[in-house]
């Protein structure tokens, strides 16, 4: 097995080993209860949009798997879940397949299993337009995610050390691809400055993917054999802070929330903080590795739970959640004070 394929297996198994269970930044967000909701459960629609992409739920399965035989099997499970629950799904970075066509099947299984589903391909910002087109073709993808993961690369023993070309790569991909491009972090969050910069080069779909869930500094640090880089494990902005930063930015891009989202209430909170949709990775991986059928039942019941929360908030549409009354406390409130966020 090549080093690259082994890394893909390690990422999945280590994300399970370090699966985060405790509180996240979402504990800093409380909805203010009003006793007379002007809404009935049957009035609530979960339909969500990102540009021209239309979803039946305000959450999707975010990038994780593929690039080895085992992660291909994991992708098949995730694709079955996506198909049966009508959730959009992103594959993990397809760069392994661009380097070694023998790995293509571990990604294409997602399209094969879920021929009519919304599928996103994924590639790092170190790649240019040609590879972006190859990535889209590989899956007949509906959108392409470009990931920004500088802290992960820095801690990764075999990671990239050159990042200066990334912005030009992203610009050329956004300009040159005919399908939507989502630029995403991988669990380190985003600042308003990053979001404004992405906006200035034409990016219209941004996944802030913040701290609080999968921690790639921790995963890569564990994989290091020589010296450890412990301090990087606390690097980055939480998902809540990243969403607040996005609200403060000048961008008109649609915002996607991810990073530590594990429950229906957190999906609703993310939408109340401006997210059009939420991406879930480790939580769905955790459920899928345990039992695919049960995951389908649980995720189906999540949709009902989201509707009930929205009813209490008087929100008939996902967009309406942006106008709900909420309280920000704790570290997230302190961040707002220090960064002049109102
Ligand atoms: C990821 N993530 C990821 N992101 C990406 O853009 N390309 C990738 O190839 C991967 N690979 C990957 C593997 C595994 C096993 C996990 C758990 C995650 C990052 C992911 O899409 C997301 O941004 C973060 O994991 C934060 O979300 P969660 O896991 O806290 O829900």
């Amino acid at each position: 097995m090549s080093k690259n394929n082994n890394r893909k297996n390690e990422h999945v198994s280590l994300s399970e080993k370090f699966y985060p269970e405790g509180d996240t930044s979402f504990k800093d967000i409380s909805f203010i209860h009003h006793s007379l909701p002007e809404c009935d459960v049957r009035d609530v629609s979960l339909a969500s949009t990102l540009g021209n992409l239309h979803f039946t739920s305000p959450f999707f399965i975010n990038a994780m798997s593929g690039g080895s035989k085992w992660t291909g099997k994991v992708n098949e499970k995730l694709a079955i879940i996506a198909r049966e629950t009508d959730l959009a799904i992103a594959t993990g970075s397809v760069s392994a397949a661009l380097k070694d066509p023998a790995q293509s099947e571990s990604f294409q299984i997602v399209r094969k299993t879920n021929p009519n589903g919304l599928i996103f391909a994924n590639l790092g910002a170190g790649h240019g337009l040609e590879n972006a087109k190859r990535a889209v073709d590989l899956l007949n993808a509906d959108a392409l995610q470009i990931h920004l993961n500088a802290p992960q690369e820095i801690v990764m023993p075999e990671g990239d050390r050159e990042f200066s070309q990334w912005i030009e790569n992203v610009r050329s991909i956004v300009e040159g691809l005919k399908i939507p491009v989502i630029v995403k972090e991988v669990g380190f969050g985003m600042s308003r400055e990053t979001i404004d910069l992405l906006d200035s080069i034409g990016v219209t779909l941004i996944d802030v993917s913040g701290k609080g869930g999968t921690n790639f500094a921790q995963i890569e640090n564990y994989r290091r054999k020589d010296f450890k880089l412990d301090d990087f494990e606390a690097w980055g902005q939480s998902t809540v802070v990243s969403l607040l930063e996005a609200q403060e930015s000048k961008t008109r891009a649609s915002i996607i929330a991810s990073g530590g989202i594990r429950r229906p209430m957190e999906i609703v909170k993310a939408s109340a903080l401006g997210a059009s949709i939420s991406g879930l990775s480790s939580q769905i991986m955790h459920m899928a590795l345990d039992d695919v059928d049960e995951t389908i039942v649980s995720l189906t019941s999540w949709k009902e739970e989201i509707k009930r929360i929205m009813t209490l908030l008087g929100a008939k549409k996902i967009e309406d959640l942006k106008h709900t009354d909420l309280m920000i406390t704790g570290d997230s409130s302190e961040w707002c004070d220090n960064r002049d966020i109102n």
Side-chain angles (χ1 to χ4, degrees):
M1 185 184 294
S2 81
K3 256 189 177 168
N4 200 32
N5 304 344
N6 194 30
R7 179 167 84 226
K8 299 297 164 184
N9 292 344
E10 282 180 356
H11 282 169
V12 174
S13 55
L14 290 175
S15 77
E16 267 298 282
K17 177 180 168 68
F18 296 125
Y19 174 73
E21 307 248 13
D23 280 341
T24 68
S25 53
F26 285 98
K27 77 170 188 323
D28 292 346
I29 304 299
S30 309
F31 288 120
I32 297 171
H33 170 60
H34 300 307
S35 305
L36 292 165
E38 292 175 70
C39 184
D40 302 329
V41 174
R42 66 170 172 271
D43 297 336
V44 175
S45 161
L46 298 185
S48 322
T49 54
L50 275 181
N52 295 328
L53 299 168
H54 297 277
F55 306 85
T56 56
S57 301
F59 61 103
F60 69 98
I61 304 175
N62 216 348
M64 283 185 281
S65 203
S68 67
K69 206 165 170 203
W70 179 54
T71 55
K73 292 221 177 332
V74 173
N75 257 345
E76 186 176 14
K77 289 183 190 216
L78 296 173
I80 293 170
I81 293 165
R83 185 188 67 209
E84 297 304 315
T85 54
D86 197 24
L87 296 182
I89 177 171
T91 69
S93 172
V94 300
S95 79
L98 301 187
K99 282 187 206 123
D100 173 9
Q103 300 308 329
S104 300
E105 175 58 22
S106 69
F107 297 98
Q108 287 170 324
I109 187 72
V110 176
R111 180 53 86 196
K112 209 161 124 194
T113 308
N114 188 14
N116 303 317
L118 269 182
I119 296 176
F120 309 156
N122 183 290
L123 206 56
H127 294 266
L129 179 58
E130 277 320 300
N131 277 356
K133 287 180 177 165
R134 290 173 64 204
V136 172
D137 289 346
L138 188 77
L139 294 171
N140 191 15
D142 300 285
L144 177 70
Q145 295 182 320
I146 303 289
H147 65 259
L148 309 177
N149 67 336
Q152 178 187 6
E153 296 290 343
I154 284 286
V155 181
M156 191 191 300
E158 68 277 37
D160 281 347
R161 302 290 180 257
E162 293 171 1
F163 308 103
S164 54
Q165 184 62 29
W166 280 15
I167 187 160
E168 271 317 309
N169 287 344
V170 173
R171 187 201 304 270
S172 71
I173 292 169
V174 169
E175 277 172 13
L177 273 197
K178 292 196 177 70
I179 60 166
V181 176
I182 298 167
V183 177
K184 74 183 285 287
E185 253 291 349
V186 300
F188 297 99
M190 284 193 193
S191 63
R192 79 185 73 152
E193 290 83 354
T194 300
I195 293 165
D196 283 334
L197 185 56
L198 291 172
D199 181 274
S200 75
I201 59 168
V203 178
T204 58
L205 306 173
I206 299 175
D207 180 346
V208 296
S209 201
K211 201 169 65 174
T214 303
N215 182 338
F216 269 104
Q218 182 185 34
I219 288 173
E220 299 300 350
N221 208 19
Y222 187 85
R223 294 181 60 243
R224 293 187 67 84
K225 298 279 179 285
D226 45 8
F227 55 93
K228 298 288 177 189
L229 293 167
D230 295 338
D231 285 347
F232 287 87
E233 294 186 16
W235 192 270
Q237 277 94 251
S238 74
T239 303
V240 163
V241 157
S242 302
L243 292 171
L244 293 167
E245 287 278 322
Q247 285 190 355
E248 208 61 21
S249 79
K250 296 180 210 69
T251 190
R252 301 210 351 237
S254 298
I255 299 298
I256 301 164
S258 72
I261 299 179
R262 299 196 292 261
R263 325 164 53 82
M265 184 64 82
E266 291 166 345
I267 294 168
V268 178
K269 286 181 178 180
S271 287
L273 293 174
S276 301
I277 193 164
S278 290
L280 283 77
S281 292
S282 51
Q283 174 63 38
I284 293 185
M285 175 70 81
H286 190 60
M287 294 161 83
L289 292 180
D290 190 32
D291 189 318
V292 169
D293 290 336
E294 260 184 44
T295 306
I296 292 165
V297 172
S298 298
L299 295 179
T300 305
S301 77
W302 282 24
K303 294 183 194 179
E304 198 51 40
E305 192 172 335
I306 292 171
K307 279 190 182 175
R308 289 175 193 214
I309 300 167
M310 287 174 65
T311 304
L312 281 186
L313 294 169
K316 294 182 181 167
K317 305 190 295 296
I318 296 297
E319 274 288 306
D320 296 343
L321 285 168
K322 291 181 185 165
H323 309 294
T324 50
D325 295 327
L326 50 81
M327 180 76 79
I328 306 173
T329 56
D331 291 346
S332 306
S333 163
E334 200 177 319
W335 180 280
C336 290
D337 291 344
N338 289 322
R339 288 270 283 175
D340 272 337
I341 297 175
N342 297 310

